[in-house]
Amino acid sequence: MTQHAPLSSRITQINGGGSDGWDHFRRARAMKESGAPVIELTIGEHDIRTAAPILQDMHRAAKAGHTGYADIPGIPILRETVARRMAENTGVPTTPDNILITPGGQFGLFAAHLAACDEGDRALYIDPYYATYPGTIRSVGAVPVPVQAKPEFGFQPQIRDLEAAVEGARSLMINSPNNPTGAVYSPATMDGIAGLCQAHDLWLISDEVYDTQVWDGEHITPRALPGMLERTLVVGSLSKSHAMTGSRIGWVCGPEPVIACLEDLTTHSTYGLPGYIQEAAVFALNQGPAFEADIADPFKRRRQITMELLAGQNAVKASPSQGAMYALLDIRATGLSGEDYAARLLDDELIAVMPGESFGAAAAGHVRVAFTIEDAVFRDAMTRLLAHAGALST
Ligand code: PLP
C-alpha cells in the first residue's frame, strides 16, 4: 500500500481517538439489515418526510432557474424571515445582518466556535451532550471541556460546577431543549449561565435546534437576557422544526460584526447554499407556528405515552422529558450500565436504544429512547422495555 503524505493533527484528532460510542447502534443496524425485526428507538429523525408543499416550492424555485450561486451569507429574504421569526419569538430586535444562513445547525456550531475560540482555547460544553460536540470543538483547534449536568439536578447544569471549570475558557455551549436528556433549562439555570458568561467574558453558544419541541416549561433564549445580546451566538435549524434534516438549512444569529466575520468564513468554505433550498426554507418558515406545532405533535404524543407507561411501574425512573424528541431513562435499578442494558435489550427483545454513556459520563446508567416511530409500535416497544427492565430489577 502506498504511504500517503502526513495528515494534520487537527484532522486526525477530530473524534478524540476513542470509540465514538456508536458501536451498539451499528450492531442493531446490522441485525436489522440481516432480517431481524429490530425496533429502532435510536435515531433523532422524524418518521415523516419533508411536507410535499415545501418540496413543491423547492421544485418551483429550481425550475425558475435559481440553481446558480446564491448570496453567500444567505439570500436576503431568508435572512429577513429568520430575523423576523427570531424577533417575534424572543422579543429581541433582530435584523438580517444578525443572521448567517448555514448548511444545518451543525455547521452553525462549527462556525460559532471558530468565531469564539483560538487554537488551544478551552471551550466548555455540558455533559450529557449531542454526540458531535467535542469533535466540533476539536475541529476548530480548541480544547473541549465537559461540565457534568447530573441526574439528581434534573440534568440542569449547576453554576458551581461551571465555575470550577471556567478558568481560561473562551466559550460555553448549551443546548435547551436538550438532546439527549429532554431537559429544558429553567429561568434560574439560564440566569446563572448568563451571569457566569458576563463575569468571565465568555461567548455563549446556544444550540436551540429543538426550540419548537417544549412539552413542559418554557423555552428561554439566553440572547434575550440582560447583558447577553453581545456575547450570545444562537444556532438554529429547520431540521427538527420543519422535518427538513436532509435539506441542510440552519443559521447563526449574533452581533453584526460576528456575522460579518462568519460571512468571510463561508466565502472561503461552503460558498453559500443552494438558492432553491433557501427559497423553500422561506416558504416553510412562512407556514407559521401552527405548522411547526403539527410537525412536533407526534413527539408530544409519544412523550405522553412514555410518561403514562412510566407512571405504572417502579423500575425505570423518568428523566425530565420536558422537551425534544427523546427521553433519557434511568435504568440503574437493573444493576447494569447503560451499555450493558442496551445490549441485553437488543438481544432479548430486539429493541434498539442508545446507551447513555455514548452521550457522556453524566448519562451513565441511562438509555436514550427516541420518539421517532409510529405511536402503536412505540407504545408496544416501551411496554416491553419497561417489563424487561422490571424483570432485571427484581
Ligand atoms: N444540535 C443538536 C442538539 C442535535 O441533536 C442536532 C441533530 O441531531 C444538531 C444540532 C444538528 O442538526 P442539523 O445540523 O441537522 O441542523
Side-chain angles (χ1 to χ4, degrees):
M1 206 169 65
T2 15
Q3 188 72 28
H4 59 67
L7 288 163
S8 75
S9 54
R10 187 181 287 180
I11 200 79
T12 52
Q13 285 166 19
I14 286 180
N15 64 23
S19 142
D20 62 8
W22 286 70
D23 302 348
H24 175 74
F25 172 80
R26 284 188 279 269
R27 182 162 82 90
R29 235 331 125 80
M31 284 168 70
K32 193 169 180 177
E33 275 158 15
S34 64
V38 173
I39 297 176
E40 291 184 296
L41 302 178
T42 42
I43 314 212
E45 185 166 34
H46 316 68
D47 47 332
I48 53 163
R49 300 286 87 187
T50 305
I54 299 176
L55 298 178
Q56 275 151 14
D57 197 70
M58 204 180 283
H59 188 229
R60 176 205 55 74
K63 294 266 280 189
H66 304 166
T67 53
Y69 292 126
D71 304 68
I72 290 174
I75 57 172
I77 178 82
L78 179 56
R79 296 174 83 194
E80 260 167 58
T81 307
V82 172
R84 194 171 53 244
R85 179 177 184 265
M86 185 68 87
E88 279 167 9
N89 289 354
T90 65
V92 184
T94 307
T95 76
D97 291 334
N98 296 123
I99 306 294
L100 175 89
I101 304 301
T102 60
Q106 184 61 54
F107 187 85
L109 296 170
F110 169 80
H113 280 94
L114 207 53
C117 296
D118 277 314
E119 182 85 37
D121 281 339
R122 286 160 64 83
L124 307 184
Y125 67 104
I126 309 296
D127 166 349
Y129 54 88
Y130 171 51
T132 66
Y133 278 5
T136 300
I137 293 170
R138 280 188 213 101
S139 68
V140 309
V143 179
V145 180
V147 177
Q148 290 194 8
K150 303 195 180 80
E152 56 268 37
F153 301 115
F155 292 107
Q156 303 270 331
Q158 302 297 295
I159 302 309
R160 61 175 176 276
D161 296 331
L162 285 162
E163 285 281 2
V166 78
E167 189 64 38
R170 289 286 287 276
S171 62
L172 165 63
M173 171 160 50
I174 60 169
N175 169 224
S176 173
N178 187 268
N179 174 13
T181 66
V184 172
Y185 288 3
S186 68
T189 300
M190 282 297 191
D191 285 346
I193 286 173
L196 176 104
C197 290
Q198 289 171 58
H200 297 277
D201 205 14
L202 301 187
W203 279 105
L204 182 60
I205 297 170
S206 180
D207 177 346
E208 303 185 16
V209 302
Y210 293 101
D211 64 350
T212 60
Q213 298 177 13
V214 180
W215 327 124
D216 180 14
E218 200 192 332
H219 172 62
I220 299 169
T221 176
R223 181 169 178 262
L225 298 178
M228 292 307 288
L229 196 57
E230 299 305 319
R231 60 175 68 256
T232 305
L233 300 172
V234 174
V235 173
S237 165
L238 290 182
S239 286
K240 314 291 176 174
S241 57
H242 291 75
M244 290 181 71
T245 47
S247 292
R248 312 307 303 130
I249 193 103
W251 55 84
V252 178
C253 173
E256 276 181 34
V258 184
I259 298 301
C261 289
L262 291 181
E263 182 175 345
D264 290 342
L265 171 68
T266 37
T267 305
H268 299 95
S269 54
T270 63
Y271 211 75
L273 280 145
Y276 53 92
I277 293 183
Q278 297 194 62
E279 287 192 35
V282 173
F283 177 89
L285 287 167
N286 282 340
Q287 302 312 298
F291 180 85
E292 294 172 17
D294 279 352
I295 300 288
D297 199 52
F299 307 129
K300 187 177 179 182
R301 292 197 308 269
R302 294 164 200 163
R303 183 257 182 187
Q304 193 52 40
I305 292 171
T306 305
M307 299 317 261
E308 279 165 25
L309 293 174
L310 283 169
Q313 53 82 61
N314 295 316
V316 176
K317 287 213 208 85
S319 71
S321 205
Q322 297 163 292
M325 50 174 87
Y326 317 98
L328 195 64
L329 304 179
D330 181 346
I331 49 82
R332 284 176 289 183
T334 63
L336 298 175
S337 67
E339 270 164 14
D340 289 344
Y341 179 70
R344 281 288 287 272
L345 185 67
L346 183 59
D347 289 336
D348 297 348
E349 297 285 339
L350 297 178
I351 297 172
V353 293
M354 289 301 291
E357 290 82 359
S358 53
F359 306 102
H366 291 69
V367 292
R368 189 192 75 173
V369 163
F371 304 148
T372 47
I373 55 169
E374 192 266 311
D375 293 21
V377 183
F378 180 79
R379 181 183 284 278
D380 176 58
M382 276 301 293
T383 306
R384 282 165 47 210
L385 181 158
L386 294 176
H388 180 259
L392 287 174
S393 304
T394 49

